[in-house]
């Protein structure tokens, strides 16, 4: 029953009941962690056969005849470039395959712009102010990077089609200290939003005042669908194609990785961008490294064989995690929906459900959960500087815990949400 | 017969003969590459069994119970920290294990100092001048990093005990714009020199004017001996211990890797330093990455089992490459020694022989070799800015080519050296 239609007596009784229940939960000494988007052990098992594709009797030579056990090959072995290009819906010539983490590529890309500029522009460390656009809620590790380099972050509201493009267009057209924007264009972290075609096209057609402005297009969930049916899968336009068409080829860096496909930490990651951007990055990278782990690049390429292999592998991931998403959604629906005190997303893919509780309640909910043994992503983490102005958003990461634990965890979250709302 | 004791007629005749021989060599269309210190294919074979130690039926859990297939563990798995600590003769608590390349660690360490300073100092990008000491001849990729960041590099002469410490001490004591020094303390690239105990102690006891001055101690050849006998193996003092003893614990960053132990590009690399330095680096690294490839870290640790396993593996490398070093040395001894026109090093380990031809001849020798089909490291590369003031030093990398090719290659080098000397 909606809290809005309950009398204050009824509300008081409800609160007393909930507090008693919460007390009981606390006494159970539960330890559950839903803080990060970590794959579950069952998902990791799917990639174990990859560890056999290269062994002591393998001929570890790439298609272009390079002995991948030795030094060299700065932009990645051709097989891996093809695989990652397919994931980004672009040409292998646009791709650099790196080591194990796209976060590292993004960080280093910004570090390079900070120390040496972008394709010849003034190094950002020589500027008084660098500003960065941050669609919110968003990915905490993105915001940490731009905070680390001292950039001034500007919140951009998101709706069901993506960031508020009126605001983005106006800001970048008029302020040349704005040098970039963070985007997770598909199954966005944490809302699950996928950018509409119109939003992608408007990004590709931006006319930024700063010629060293770049879109950081973190396509982290490019093929991370929960459902097999095409009409339950989000698809987005290729930003690289759209930028090319718009005469803006250098506007974007796209990132992807296999962290949530094979093994987080032991995967491969890639950057897709224009020839001019790529040439500049390669020139700088030559100073940093002789090359990334080519054996692991081949291991991935040989395991999946082609993009078809990659997609069917991701179907298996979807099978394992969609039940978890549905468990969370069912508990929220059963326990919170009737009260009319929260809203949440129902994504078709990605790793998160985004819960919005009443303003001023998120921190309290997360703290109460923590005291009861359930660790969630810190409230506010989905905003720059950890500051959610409404104190309303909570990120739920359903993948790492088991299905049974998940039911209990979501119940605890629901109880804490009700208490925090009633006490307010 | 020494060219010094030959008449000008005899010298002319010798030059004509040599030119005829060189012409003949050029017509053979040889293709040989001795430019880089790359292991030979026979060396890479030694590590192939490492690719079997982790397979689809492995329990990929580290000693402290972490599932190494998933996210996390910023400073490396305990097994790998122990292995790399043993290589650096230090405690695992002082160690961070990274990805595949120590060059990358050094670059990023300098990039961090440039953008954020060292343990709280002013970021170097905010300073007008940053200077760096470069013992010469040295490693070209070191010099490229400091050139990339615009530092002013100062040549420090090397002798058989290491860098000229009188000069180092005086410079760092009086100039607070000097922020670091490159060192390859053991089997130095390219001279094969190992620093004497006195030199290591004087490094540890430096009193730099700049409190953000650091020694970059690239222990790239820590266990890379050519010979099994203890009296033919160089050993150096532990710089981390000596710095600790000298009350200078934060003075040094030590680097090492398995690039020339297992697979270049698919190895693991590490940093050893004080707790205070390490804590600062970890704090910054948290923004850059969630962690490096732990599966590859375990693969290395499990393959070698312990430091003893690592050392016996390196004995096998020594067996394979000492014949190559001796081939080069024999040809140089036979063909160049009698002429008295060049000197060269006879190292006990490492990857290089350093050849000094007469002043003003190195570039010409390297160019003539190139035209004859033998690619050497560019003349001058062993000096900052690629500028060898004497135009005398040539780096010979004997490991990558086969023993037979090596004989021919060294012969070509000898012929070109003689011609260049005579023509001068």
């Amino acid at each position: 029953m909606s809290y809005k239609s309950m009398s204050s007596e009824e509300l008081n009784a409800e609160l007393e009941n909930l507090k008693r229940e919460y007390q009981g939960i606390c006494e159970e000494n539960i330890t559950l962690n839903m803080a990060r988007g970590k794959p579950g052990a069952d998902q990791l098992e799917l990639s174990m056969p990859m560890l056999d594709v290269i062994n002591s009797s393998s001929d570890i030579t790439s298609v272009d005849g390079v002995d991948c056990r030795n030094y060299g090959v700065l932009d990645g072995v051709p097989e891996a470039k093809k695989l990652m290009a397919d994931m980004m819906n672009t040409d292998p010539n646009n791709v650099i395959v790196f080591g194990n983490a796209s976060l590292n590529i993004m960080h280093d890309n910004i570090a390079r712009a900070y120390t040496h500029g972008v394709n010849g522009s003034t190094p950002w460390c020589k500027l008084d102010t660098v500003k960065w656009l941050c669609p919110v809620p968003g990915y905490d590790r993105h915001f940490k990077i731009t905070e680390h380099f001292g950039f001034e972050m500007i919140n951009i509201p998101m709706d069901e089609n993506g960031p508020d493009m009126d605001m983005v267009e106006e800001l970048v057209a008029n302020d040349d200290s704005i040098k970039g924007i963070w985007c997770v264009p598909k199954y966005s972290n944490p809302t699950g939003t996928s950018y509409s075609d119109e939003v992608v096209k408007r990004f590709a057609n931006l006319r930024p005042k700063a010629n060293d402005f770049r879109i950081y297009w973190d396509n982290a969930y490019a093929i991370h669908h929960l459902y097999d049916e095409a009409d339950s899968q989000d698809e987005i336009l290729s930003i690289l194609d759209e930028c090319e068409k718009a005469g803006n080829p250098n506007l974007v860096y796209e990132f992807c990785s296999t962290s949530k496909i094979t093994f987080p930490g032991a995967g491969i990651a890639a950057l897709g961008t224009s020839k001019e951007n790529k040439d500049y990055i390669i020139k700088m990278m030559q100073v940093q490294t002789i090359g990334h782990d080519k054996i692991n690049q081949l291991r991935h390429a040989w395991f999946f064989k082609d993009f078809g292999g990659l997609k069917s592998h991701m179907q298996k991931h979807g099978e394992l995690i969609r039940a978890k998403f549905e468990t969370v959604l069912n508990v929220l629906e059963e326990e919170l929906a009737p009260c009319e005190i929260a809203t949440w997303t129902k994504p078709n893919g990605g790793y998160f459900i985004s819960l919005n509780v009443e303003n001023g309640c998120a921190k309290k909910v997360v703290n109460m959960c923590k005291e009861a043994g359930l660790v969630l992503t810190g409230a506010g983490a989905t905003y720059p500087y950890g500051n959610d102005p409404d104190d309303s958003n909570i990120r739920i990461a359903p993948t790492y815990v088991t299905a049974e634990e998940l039911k209990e965890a979501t119940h605890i979250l629901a109880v804490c949400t009700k208490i925090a709302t009633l006490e307010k």
Side-chain angles (χ1 to χ4, degrees), chain A residues 307-323:
Chain A
F307 189 49
L310 196 59
K311 282 192 292 188
S312 48
H313 182 81
M314 291 312 289
Q315 274 194 332
K316 296 180 202 157
H317 275 274
E319 272 165 40
L320 291 173
I321 65 176
R322 70 175 163 250

Side-chain angles (χ1 to χ4, degrees), chain A residues 8-55:
Chain A
S8 56
E9 253 174 31
E10 285 170 320
L11 290 171
N12 281 336
E14 169 85 354
L15 181 57
E16 285 316 304
N17 282 336
L18 287 164
K19 279 179 160 176
R20 220 169 299 124
E21 187 173 1
Y22 178 72
Q23 193 53 42
I25 293 167
C26 289
E27 283 159 13
E28 287 177 48
N29 289 320
I30 290 160
T31 318
L32 290 170
N33 194 317
M34 287 168 67
R36 308 296 324 175
K38 290 171 76 168
D42 52 351
Q43 292 175 264
L44 302 176
E45 286 298 325
L46 296 173
S47 296
M48 290 302 284
M50 187 178 76
L51 298 171
D52 298 330
V53 301
I54 291 186
N55 58 47

Side-chain angles (χ1 to χ4, degrees), chain A residues 157-334:
Chain A
M158 293 267 291
D159 65 22
E160 67 280 11
N161 296 308
D164 179 336
M165 292 309 295
D166 291 341
M167 191 171 167
V168 171
E169 284 164 351
E170 196 188 319
L171 282 166
V172 305
N174 295 299
D175 186 346
D176 67 359
S177 68
I178 296 174
K179 301 299 189 188
I181 181 169
W182 290 120
C183 294
V184 182
K186 195 166 177 176
Y187 301 136
S188 186
N189 175 351
T191 61
T193 309
S194 297
Y195 293 8
S196 71
D197 291 355
E198 191 205 331
V199 164
V200 177
K201 282 175 195 284
R202 286 176 74 177
F203 264 115
N205 283 281
L206 285 178
R207 292 287 177 261
K209 193 167 182 196
N211 63 9
D212 51 356
F213 172 90
R214 291 292 181 275
I215 302 164
Y216 277 61
W217 196 260
D218 183 3
N219 207 348
Y221 308 104
I223 52 173
H224 300 57
H225 308 290
L226 288 176
Y227 302 95
D228 297 343
E229 301 74 24
D231 62 355
S232 297
Q233 295 187 341
D234 296 0
E235 290 306 340
I236 57 168
L237 289 177
S238 161
I239 185 73
L240 287 163
D241 283 356
E242 294 302 320
C243 284
E244 184 78 39
K245 281 188 221 164
N248 259 340
N250 297 338
L251 192 62
V252 68
Y253 303 125
E254 180 168 354
F255 308 91
C256 72
S257 85
T258 68
S259 292
K260 291 183 178 82
I261 297 175
T262 58
F263 301 120
I268 59 175
L271 166 76
T273 195
S274 69
K275 186 179 179 326
E276 195 176 324
N277 286 345
K278 180 178 164 179
D279 287 348
Y280 181 78
I281 291 170
I282 287 282
K283 204 177 119 200
M284 313 270 289
M285 273 174 66
Q286 276 173 345
V287 180
Q288 185 181 27
T289 184
I290 304 173
H292 296 98
D293 186 339
K294 297 182 294 299
I295 294 183
N296 204 33
Q297 291 180 7
L298 277 189
R299 188 179 282 123
H300 279 74
W302 290 355
F303 177 53
F304 292 118
K305 295 190 177 70
D306 55 29
F307 189 49
L310 196 59
K311 282 192 292 188
S312 48
H313 182 81
M314 291 312 289
Q315 274 194 332
K316 296 180 202 157
H317 275 274
E319 272 165 40
L320 291 173
I321 65 176
R322 70 175 163 250
K324 293 186 175 178
F325 275 77
E326 284 169 1
T327 299
V328 173
L329 291 171
N330 287 340
V331 175
L332 293 177
E333 190 62 37
E334 270 171 43

Side-chain angles (χ1 to χ4, degrees), chain A residues 339-352:
Chain A
C339 310
E340 297 185 350
I341 54 171
T343 57
W344 51 90
T345 57
K346 298 173 187 69
N348 284 331
Y351 261 63
F352 302 104

